[in-house]
Structure formats: C-alpha cells, structure tokens
Amino acid sequence: MYHISVLTGHQDEDDFGERLSDIAEVEYCSAEDEDELIDQLDGTDILICDDEPVSGRVLEETDDLKLIVVMGEETSHIDLQTAQDRNIKVVCLHDYFDEDVADHACAMILALLRQIPEYAYDVRDNNRWQFGSVPWPLHRVSANLIGIVGFGRIGQLVAERLRPFGCGIQAYDPFVSEKTMLDNGVTPVDFDKLLKTSDLITLHLPVEEATQNMFQEEQLERMKKGSMLVNCGSGGLVDEAALYHAVDDGHIRSVALDTLTTEHPSTMFLEMLERPEFLLTPDVRAHSVEAEKAKYDDAERYIRLFLDDKMEDIPFVSLSSEEE
C-alpha cells in the first residue's frame, strides 16, 4: 500500500480516504511548523495540499515523496526548484472551475448591460419603481461590443457563452494567435483599440509582474466613456482607487468585481458598497457543487495515473513554464 498525506482540509471535508482506500493509506496532517511537517511526512509517497507552504527543507528531508498534488492552480508556495532537483513531480488542478468562472463572468456582464444593480438598488433603497431613474441609456445586449482581455481557456468560454446574444466580441491577448481568436468568432485587436472601443471589458488573466495594476488611471481614462468593467480574473489587475474615481466622475458607468487586490475590509471597499454602480461578489466565481466534485475527481485521476506509471497523461508543472 502506498502512503498518501493530505495537508489540506480535514477528514470530514473530503473523501480521499474512501476514494483511494484500495491503493493507499491516507493520513490527514496539520503541521504547525516545518519540523512537525517533516515528521508527519515520514514515509509519504504522495502529498496533497492546497496553499500550505512546502519549503525546500521539507522536500529535502522527505525521502520517499514522489508526487505533490496541489488542489488549485497556484504553485508559488511550493519550492519547485528543490522538487525538480529531487525528482518530485508536481501537478496542479487548473481547469476544474473554468465553466464556473465563465458562467459567473457572463452573469455579471449581463447584469451590468441590463443595469440590474442600479435598478435593484433604486427599488430597494429608494422605494422607486420607475424606468429611467438610471442616467445611462439602456441598450439591448446585441448592440454592445464586448472586449475580452486574456483569451485563454476561460476567455474562450466567455466568448462561447456570449455569442448567442449577438453582441460583438473582440479580444486582446499577445500569447494567443489571431487564428484562435477568429476560429472562436472573436475579432483580435490591440490593447489600445480594445480600451477605446469596447462597451464592456472583462478580464481573464493572472496577476504577474507584467499585468499587476494593468488597469490604472491612464488605462481607465482611455476606456470609452460610459463603458463598463468586469473582473473575474485576479485581484491586482485593477487599481481599485483609480477605478472608484473613474466611476465617481462619470467616465465608467458600472463595475462588477468578484476579486479585489485586498479582500480585507478597507475604506475603498466600504465606499464601493454604498454605490449602486458597483456589483461585488465575494470570490465565488470558481465555486459550485460540480466544481468541487470535479476537483477531487481530477486529484484522484492524476494519482491513479501516476501510480500506474502513465506519466504522459498528467500535466506536470515544469520549472521552466513557471518562470516564463
């Protein structure tokens, strides 16, 4: 029997013990420090973790470890160099929530286009049941041009969901070919044109050095007057203070955010809550009953493939791809 250690969650929150009982003994760990973790991982063949740090020292002193399964797509908390040096494979779960993020983004897009947050606020807080109380004109969905920044897996799913509404769709992504965009019914454009011509911009890219605060005062000012912004991508893509001021001065019509640079209460966050132009949800884009099941299904599948030596079917994390 193999030995699998689960560093994330509690035994009553998942069913790894039941899922893998035919091939492994599953132990749940809760390490307060590195020394404790090293002791608990003695004899472990496979480690399952979430965002808990796994340092180079832990990896160097865990002699039997062969595979780390990360229950998400972020690997910055894993010392990948040491893992590579010790021939410890790392796999992360990166696509189980794609449909959910795309669904949530499209729900937010449609809500903004139909002015649902503003009218709902007016009914609830002003006791007013009247069309026209929102100052911006209301256009049908098909009359709008949607700009997608980031046309990877999720960006493409967003475009797929929006096409039946008949709206124009354009996208900017320097890492995706024009052919891929055209094949998906989307017009490829440069960043400047997307800013200046889109009625609504939706963000679907990670935060990296090149994308940190990608939307600051300058970019927001270049956006079309009366346009809208949706961020179901990553916190840190948008300077929220600059965004608030762009809404406050009437340049940006409305905003939907499921992720913020900091998700702790702040003065800016509280000010957004008071404004009908801001639709805020608490980092729920990747969650659903189906996504949760898919996450554990994927983890189990990769573990079984690994133990069956079917390495070609596992999307291992490579150090070179992470550095890029």
Side-chain angles (χ1 to χ4, degrees), residues 143-270:
N144 289 275
L145 177 59
I146 310 300
I148 301 176
V149 180
F151 203 66
R153 303 184 316 270
I154 295 172
Q156 291 174 32
L157 287 173
V158 169
E160 178 184 320
R161 284 156 171 71
L162 290 176
R163 280 199 303 271
F165 287 95
C167 51
I169 309 173
Q170 57 187 7
Y172 165 76
D173 191 325
F175 303 104
V176 175
S177 70
E178 290 189 359
K179 182 180 184 302
T180 297
M181 294 186 185
L182 293 170
D183 288 346
N184 282 273
V186 169
T187 302
V189 294
D190 60 35
F191 188 49
D192 188 62
K193 183 173 182 180
L194 184 137
L195 290 175
K196 291 179 177 178
T197 61
S198 298
D199 296 299
L200 182 147
I201 295 175
T202 179
L203 310 183
H204 300 287
L205 63 164
V207 171
E208 300 169 342
E209 186 176 350
T211 60
Q212 183 77 38
N213 281 332
M214 188 176 187
F215 281 75
Q216 302 182 59
E217 182 178 357
E218 177 188 352
Q219 290 73 32
L220 295 168
E221 287 179 350
R222 285 156 58 192
M223 287 174 61
K224 184 177 179 180
K225 183 174 176 58
S227 59
M228 295 151 274
L229 182 70
V230 173
N231 186 10
C232 281
S234 303
L237 294 173
V238 181
D239 180 337
E240 281 110 12
L243 179 61
Y244 181 87
H245 293 306
V247 171
D248 192 48
D249 67 19
H251 184 70
I252 301 297
R253 188 183 101 182
S254 56
V255 174
L257 304 172
D258 183 64
T259 181
L260 300 170
T261 301
T262 175
E263 297 186 352
H264 299 290
S266 64
T267 301
M268 184 56 60
F269 176 75
L270 295 175

Side-chain angles (χ1 to χ4, degrees), residues 12-75:
D12 58 351
E13 293 179 356
D14 62 56
D15 56 355
F16 282 123
E18 181 179 345
R19 282 173 175 263
L20 301 167
S21 61
D22 60 316
I23 57 172
E25 296 179 355
V26 178
E27 178 183 5
Y28 289 78
C29 303
S30 57
E32 298 297 328
D33 56 47
E34 286 190 349
D35 290 332
E36 182 182 352
L37 180 57
I38 290 168
D39 288 341
Q40 292 191 23
L41 295 184
D42 183 37
T44 294
D45 300 293
I46 296 172
L47 173 64
I48 301 173
C49 66
D50 192 349
D51 56 0
E52 298 83 3
V54 181
S55 69
R57 176 173 172 250
V58 170
L59 296 177
E60 286 170 353
E61 299 191 31
T62 308
D63 295 332
D64 299 308
L65 190 61
K66 305 174 185 66
L67 174 68
I68 301 173
V69 179
V70 183
M71 301 294 285
E73 61 177 351
E74 177 59 52
T75 58

